[in-house]
Amino acid sequence: MSNHSEAPVIPVEAFEPPYYVAVFTSVRTQDQSGYSETAARMEALVKDVPGFLGMDHAQTPGGLSITVGYFRDADALTEWRSDAEHREAQKRGRAEWYESYTLHVAKVERSHGFSRV
């Protein structure tokens, strides 16, 4: 995903439920040729989906990555899932970049946040 080292680290805000989350958890292969460019393209592309609310991403020192995408409704999530360029990136991910992954999609029924600001 994008380089967040210069941006402040803050989670995506809490939204008024219901909305949807797609939680993508992965372990990547050693060869990551082209991954960064494709991930940056996917991040830019998903922002154009009407109903996309934001994305959180974290990676452990051991290599487990978690990306959470937030979507206003099921139609927005379906549009992202059906995007042709996204589908091609998924195929390449299975063929080259991922050792394993899981995807969990859930409807959020409760949401709140806190900020010390």
Side-chain angles (χ1 to χ4, degrees):
M1 305 268 115
S2 64
N3 181 354
H4 296 287
S5 61
E6 297 174 16
V9 177
I10 55 173
V12 170
E13 66 182 275
F15 295 99
E16 184 66 33
Y19 58 94
Y20 288 80
V21 294
V23 182
F24 182 74
T25 307
S26 65
V27 175
R28 289 189 248 161
T29 61
Q30 290 289 339
D31 182 8
Q32 292 295 290
S33 303
Y35 178 84
S36 294
E37 297 82 2
T38 301
R41 174 64 183 145
M42 292 304 102
E43 189 171 339
L45 193 61
V46 72
K47 289 177 181 177
D48 290 337
V49 173
F52 174 72
L53 301 172
M55 178 187 314
D56 287 321
H57 178 78
Q59 188 166 358
T60 69
L64 181 70
S65 292
I66 301 172
T67 301
V68 182
Y70 303 86
F71 297 85
R72 173 48 55 208
D73 52 38
D75 290 341
L77 191 55
T78 298
E79 183 171 334
W80 175 236
R81 185 182 72 221
S82 303
D83 180 271
E85 199 171 340
H86 181 214
R87 305 279 298 171
E88 284 302 312
Q90 289 173 330
K91 287 178 188 174
R92 189 167 178 200
R94 285 188 296 274
E96 299 176 36
W97 299 317
Y98 297 116
E99 199 64 50
S100 63
Y101 69 81
T102 57
L103 174 66
H104 306 276
V105 175
K107 185 175 183 180
V108 176
E109 297 180 2
R110 185 173 50 154
S111 181
H112 67 277
F114 167 81
S115 178
R116 193 167 301 282
V117 179

